[in-house]
Amino acid sequence: MNAKIDASGADGALKAKHRAMWALGDYPAVAEEVIPDLGAILVEACGVGRGDRVLDVAAGSGNAAIPAALAGAGVVASDLTPELLEVGRGLAARRGAQVEWRRADAEALPFGDGEFDTVLSCVGVMFAPHHQAAADELVRVCRPGGTIGLVNWTPEGFVGQMFATMKPYAPPPPAGAQPPPLWGSEEHVRGLFGDRVTEVGVRRQSVTVDRFDSPDAFRDFFKANYGPTVAVYRAVAGDAERVAALDHDLSELARRHMQGGEKSVMEWEYLLFTARRNG
């Protein structure tokens, strides 16, 4: 088991910054309007069924937790950002899903060893800054023989390229923090889990995104709603030229990925990882 990350000092400040970033904008709108089916894909890939004890790590507003509960599992949804959990409670209630919502740090989960049959995360745990610490916790709370399942954006796919596009405009990351899209690299994620897992399944897939009728519509939606993008714009807000340059770069990224150049459909690549915990 990995030592718990110190919640004081520099790391505590970093976690507070992450909480604040994901509370910016309206991430639940991104999950519900842009990638509504992604969590259900992960739940199906993990074989979640009635009576399973499931933990959704960095659950946000429940994109995976709610489908898991509707499949009959007993689900705990954990996230660092309480504002997202509060939205998730409302969404679950409207869909008739029974989910337990817990505020928790993915790098120091408040659960017992081997407590869950399935531990999953849908484009969530990849944003924890210390990758090995987060992977160690996923393994620790999964029972021997249980399933670990992840959906992570790839570095080469649209979202990975969006982070690369925003990087020149963002403040430098804190020392020791690793880039989120690394979790979408098969070599990296295999290295994080090592020989602690078996029956590893890794495949690249894509989700079709047809929410936006133009590149600028994509840019404006993410500029207003996606926490990391909102944060980058805030970082350059005092420089009109840099704001305009970032506007241009994000629109051009979307334009390149829209089929036929101007059509509204994009394919966003992700890595689907499933494995069983050894033990």
Side-chain angles (χ1 to χ4, degrees):
M1 170 181 168
N2 192 76
K4 298 293 187 183
I5 299 297
D6 182 12
S8 63
D11 191 70
L14 174 59
K15 297 303 174 63
K17 183 177 179 181
H18 270 247
R19 286 195 300 271
M21 179 184 72
W22 287 106
L24 296 173
D26 187 356
Y27 182 74
V30 177
E32 287 289 306
E33 298 179 29
V34 183
I35 53 170
D37 301 324
L38 204 52
I41 290 169
L42 177 59
V43 168
E44 182 178 0
C46 291
V48 172
R50 187 165 301 280
D52 289 343
R53 178 75 167 158
V54 175
L55 174 64
D56 185 2
V57 178
S61 53
N63 200 350
I66 293 172
L70 292 174
V75 181
V76 178
S78 67
D79 199 276
L80 195 63
T81 304
E83 293 88 344
L84 299 181
L85 298 176
E86 191 59 34
V87 174
R89 286 188 183 94
L91 292 173
R94 288 194 290 276
R95 296 183 62 182
Q98 297 293 320
V99 178
E100 179 184 348
W101 302 88
R102 292 281 300 275
R103 182 172 176 177
D105 181 349
E107 298 176 5
L109 293 169
F111 306 109
D113 296 356
E115 187 171 334
F116 297 94
D117 300 304
T118 301
V119 180
L120 51 79
S121 184
C122 182
V123 295
V125 75
M126 65 181 291
F127 292 100
H130 307 106
H131 295 187
Q132 191 63 64
D136 291 350
E137 285 293 88
L138 297 178
V139 172
R140 181 183 67 79
V141 300
C142 184
R143 68 166 174 81
T147 299
I148 297 171
L150 306 171
V151 163
N152 298 317
W153 302 119
T154 66
E156 302 83 5
F158 179 83
V159 178
Q161 289 303 298
M162 181 180 70
F163 277 91
T165 298
M166 295 191 299
K167 183 177 179 180
Y169 301 93
Q178 295 176 279
L182 273 179
W183 276 90
S185 161
E186 178 178 350
E187 180 181 7
H188 182 71
V189 76
R190 282 182 179 271
L192 292 174
F193 292 106
D195 62 4
R196 296 177 298 175
V197 297
T198 187
E199 298 182 34
V200 174
V202 183
R203 61 181 184 268
R204 289 174 180 251
Q205 299 183 171
S206 63
V207 59
T208 300
V209 174
D210 57 5
R211 164 66 173 72
F212 309 107
D213 58 13
S214 71
D216 287 357
F218 156 78
R219 178 201 66 208
D220 292 344
F221 183 88
F222 266 63
K223 183 177 180 178
N225 293 296
Y226 190 59
T229 307
V230 177
V232 172
Y233 271 98
R234 288 192 175 188
V236 298
D239 188 332
E241 288 187 4
R242 284 176 65 76
V243 170
L246 180 55
D247 279 346
H248 171 270
D249 289 352
L250 287 176
S251 288
E252 284 304 305
L253 173 71
R255 194 181 312 279
R256 291 194 301 271
H257 282 78
M258 285 185 170
Q259 295 178 7
E262 291 296 337
K263 295 181 180 179
S264 62
V265 176
M266 293 185 279
E267 298 292 332
W268 293 7
E269 185 183 66
Y270 60 88
L271 191 77
L272 176 61
F273 173 94
T274 57
R276 292 201 178 276
R277 182 191 163 181
N278 275 330

